Amino acid sequence: MDSKQLDSPPFEGFIGASERMRELFRHLRKIANSSATVLLLGETGTGKELAARSVHDLSPRATGPFIRVNCGALSESLLESELFGHVKGAFTNAIENRTGRFEAAHGGTIFLDEINSVSPTLQVKLLRVLQEHEFERVGDTKTVTVDCRVIAATNRDLAEMVETDGFREDLYYRLNVLPLYVPPLRERREDIPELVQFFVNRYAIENQRIIRMVSQDALDFLKSYLWPGNVRELQNYIERAIVLADGDELTADLLPSHVRGEAPIRLGRIERSELQSLCAELVERGLNEVAEDGKCHEAVMGLVEKELILQVLRSCQGTQTKTAAKLGINRNTLHKKIDDYSLQDDAR
């Protein structure tokens, strides 16, 4: 396989030509032939399931089953039964034997999504499966042996959870054999036009619409937005825009107000460490754009201060008294900064 093929997406629907994605595709192909456990790292909505599917489809196990389990969607008791199965009478409503997901994945791959949400009790049982390839169904004493590759995914820092006793250290090391980072959308913005076109084509067909183009304004907003929800968030907004469109063009007014910069960006789900990375990226870009010595502090801090005042002004509907109180500054100081940053149109 030549270098161009190694850098290409493993299958249709896994989109990206940026360097970050080409690197990911190379790693996916490299680890696919192994039977070692894979740990996919990355934020929600980045495409970790697509990465897991790629590893399976490119592996010698491709003809076997690919079984997905969302560990965060079930309670401990339900997840145990889901993973390992149960025998008739094991608990109330267990009216018949049930095959678990590990058993169903025999000869193939099991994908454990949101592995960080598994309880300490189940972590012990998972460790045994990973080490011994065996388990017992709930309510049974007979040992079941399985041969399946395990791919796990997390949107949390498992190493940090280990330090706070939120995750077993031995299980972490057993999972972390082949770690693979799936980058967030803001780290591969050059892929956004291709992703937009892919989703436009998909949802235009599904909704029986004809969308001939995406306006440049709309594309500019999409490329500059931070995307805390990543590709999944982009996908949802494109589908929404197509449903709401009156004509054959996807225009900027069809995008949510916060994507157009007219409301605060929703960053509530981003972890503290992620906010720190965003801050680091902002400072790095600011330093790269400011060539003149002695201007770095003023330029970067001014950019942050302007955006802070703008978002608080909008959240207070332009009322300067409320804005000053929320910011914790004098109203006269706020008025001067509004003039300095030319924010008069957002202040009434």
Side-chain angles (χ1 to χ4, degrees):
M1 185 178 293
D2 60 32
S3 59
K4 186 174 182 180
Q5 288 175 305
L6 286 171
D7 289 355
S8 63
F11 58 83
E12 186 179 0
F14 205 168
I15 293 168
S18 62
E19 177 54 36
R20 298 301 299 272
M21 293 304 285
R22 293 200 303 271
E23 181 182 0
L24 174 63
F25 298 151
R26 288 195 294 270
H27 281 113
L28 288 173
R29 288 187 165 89
K30 186 178 295 185
I31 69 176
N33 287 327
S34 165
S35 59
T37 303
V38 177
L39 180 61
L40 297 172
L41 312 168
E43 298 172 13
T44 299
T46 52
K48 295 189 291 295
E49 184 174 351
L50 286 176
R53 171 69 74 171
S54 298
V55 172
H56 172 74
D57 287 350
L58 294 169
S59 75
R61 297 176 178 269
T63 56
F66 177 81
I67 305 296
R68 177 185 181 272
V69 184
N70 186 341
C71 299
L74 300 170
S75 65
E76 179 180 325
S77 57
L78 288 175
L79 181 58
E80 182 178 12
S81 175
E82 189 76 12
L83 290 173
F84 306 116
H86 63 254
V87 295
K88 181 179 178 179
F91 50 82
T92 306
N93 297 327
I95 57 176
E96 59 184 3
N97 292 347
R98 179 178 178 180
T99 299
R101 297 298 185 93
F102 270 103
E103 219 171 331
H106 184 74
T109 304
I110 186 167
F111 173 47
L112 304 176
D113 199 6
E114 296 188 31
I115 191 72
N116 50 281
S117 63
V118 173
S119 70
T121 302
L122 282 184
Q123 287 179 34
V124 176
K125 297 190 175 185
L126 282 176
L127 181 62
R128 182 188 173 200
V129 178
L130 286 167
Q131 292 182 160
E132 309 296 336
H133 307 287
E134 62 182 30
F135 61 90
E136 287 82 40
R137 299 184 186 97
V138 178
D140 199 3
T141 57
K142 180 183 176 182
T143 298
V144 178
T145 302
V146 290
D147 171 26
C148 62
R149 184 180 197 174
V150 175
I151 301 176
T154 176
N155 56 13
R156 296 278 306 278
D157 186 338
L158 291 186
E160 186 176 286
M161 291 181 68
V162 168
E163 291 179 1
T164 58
D165 296 325
F167 202 83
R168 288 184 64 96
E169 185 176 16
D170 46 6
L171 178 58
Y172 167 64
Y173 288 123
R174 193 63 190 82
L175 289 169
N176 198 39
V177 179
L178 291 173
L180 199 60
Y181 176 65
V182 183
L185 187 54
R186 65 183 169 278
E187 291 182 6
R188 56 183 190 103
R189 294 178 188 274
E190 55 266 52
D191 292 329
I192 289 176
E194 186 180 0
L195 284 163
V196 169
Q197 193 57 57
F198 176 81
F199 291 129
V200 165
N201 293 341
R202 171 192 287 186
Y203 291 115
I205 292 172
E206 286 187 11
N207 292 279
Q208 300 181 327
R209 301 294 304 275
I210 296 176
I211 303 295
R212 301 189 186 281
M213 66 175 294
V214 179
S215 74
Q216 189 58 53
D217 282 351
L219 197 56
D220 288 343
F221 282 128
L222 293 170
K223 288 167 67 177
S224 62
Y225 181 58
L226 280 177
W227 297 110
N230 294 294
V231 178
R232 189 176 298 139
E233 186 181 14
L234 172 64
Q235 177 179 349
N236 291 342
Y237 292 162
I238 296 301
E239 181 179 17
R240 172 185 185 271
I242 286 174
V243 171
L244 295 176
D246 292 324
D248 61 359
E249 183 180 11
L250 195 158
T251 53
D253 62 293
L254 299 171
L255 301 174
S257 58
H258 58 277
V259 175
R260 304 193 307 268
E262 296 175 3
I265 297 173
R266 299 168 183 173
L267 294 175
R269 293 187 299 277
I270 291 184
E271 299 292 329
R272 175 177 169 81
S273 59
E274 184 52 41
L275 288 172
Q276 288 173 335
S277 359
L278 288 175
C279 181
E281 182 182 356
L282 170 64
V283 172
E284 182 182 357
R285 291 189 180 190
L287 291 174
N288 288 336
E289 291 179 10
V290 180
E292 189 177 349
D293 289 344
K295 296 290 185 179
C296 294
H297 182 273
E298 179 184 347
V300 176
M301 295 304 293
L303 181 66
V304 173
E305 185 176 53
K306 178 181 179 181
E307 185 62 28
L308 174 63
I309 293 172
L310 177 61
Q311 292 199 21
V312 176
L313 265 172
R314 287 173 175 171
S315 70
C316 295
Q317 289 77 48
T319 306
Q320 293 188 34
T321 304
K322 291 182 180 179
T323 301
K326 192 168 185 178
L327 288 169
I329 62 176
N330 182 278
R331 187 181 174 187
N332 291 333
T333 301
L334 173 64
H335 184 74
K336 182 179 185 304
K337 290 183 181 295
I338 288 173
D339 289 340
D340 291 343
Y341 294 127
S342 301
L343 299 175
Q344 292 89 347
D345 290 343
D346 293 278
R348 66 185 185 190

